[in-house]
Amino acid sequence: MSLIRRSNVFDPFSFDLWDPFDGFPFGSGSGSLFPRTSFDKASFAGARIDWKETPEAHVFKADVPGLNKEEVKVEVEDGNILQISGERNQEQEEKTDTWHRVERSSGKFLRRFRLPDNAKPEQIKASMENGVLTVTVPKAEVKEPDVKSIQISG
């Protein structure tokens, strides 16, 4: 797993690879009448990620079963875009093997999140355990506004 800081996001508004027709009979997803013929880039695109905010940090948890930390990248682009990406390679077919069913997905995934102003991206920590990637982004302390009492004369 690598933590890389990058800049110059090409399109900061394309946060997910999303197929709006996935699941419809006329779409391009796996349940359609016209399924994809190649299982490369988009077949593993929907990595599920939870984002919660605690008083101390923003915590992202991604299910990446079967991947090791060398196959996952955590990057910060332009100082406030958190990008989590990776790739699961397809198993090599042997000429002597007979496949009866292939259900596990392979391919690349990419998710982007715009971090809020209170995030401290320079202090991000990432860890992986049991197929779950946890990315912790500490929050800046919120300063309470100074309130002064002013005596009214008269």
Side-chain angles (χ1 to χ4, degrees):
M1 177 174 41
S2 60
L3 181 62
I4 301 170
R5 298 187 198 302
R6 295 181 8 190
S7 61
N8 298 330
V9 175
F10 176 71
D11 184 6
F13 298 106
S14 64
F15 290 104
D16 294 320
L17 299 173
W18 176 62
D19 181 358
F21 301 110
D22 190 28
F24 288 95
F26 55 83
S28 59
S30 58
S32 76
L33 296 173
F34 309 104
R36 288 186 180 96
T37 56
S38 67
F39 295 98
D40 54 357
K41 308 242 186 291
S43 59
F44 188 48
R48 303 288 184 199
I49 298 179
D50 296 336
W51 174 3
K52 72 176 177 179
E53 183 175 355
T54 68
E56 299 82 29
H58 295 275
V59 180
F60 297 83
K61 290 195 176 211
D63 288 338
V64 288
L67 295 182
N68 59 43
K69 63 183 184 178
E70 290 78 25
E71 296 171 313
V72 177
K73 282 186 190 176
V74 178
E75 302 171 300
V76 176
E77 298 179 336
D78 287 344
N80 71 337
I81 304 291
L82 175 67
Q83 179 172 297
I84 300 171
S85 62
E87 182 173 7
R88 177 178 293 135
N89 294 319
Q90 193 170 16
E91 240 180 270
Q92 295 297 324
E93 289 188 35
E94 299 292 328
K95 298 227 183 241
T96 58
D97 293 344
T98 301
W99 290 86
H100 295 281
R101 182 177 295 272
V102 177
E103 293 182 350
R104 295 183 309 140
S105 60
S106 62
K108 296 179 181 182
F109 70 91
L110 169 69
R111 298 292 305 272
R112 291 183 179 154
F113 301 91
R114 185 177 309 278
L115 296 173
D117 292 336
N118 67 350
K120 296 167 104 176
E122 66 280 355
Q123 296 180 9
I124 288 179
K125 295 201 181 338
S127 64
M128 192 142 77
E129 185 175 340
N130 295 329
V132 178
L133 170 70
T134 302
V135 179
T136 304
V137 184
K139 290 170 44 177
E141 291 184 26
V142 178
K143 294 181 181 178
E144 295 295 324
D146 291 336
V147 178
K148 285 187 176 181
S149 294
I150 300 174
Q151 291 218 348
I152 302 173
S153 60

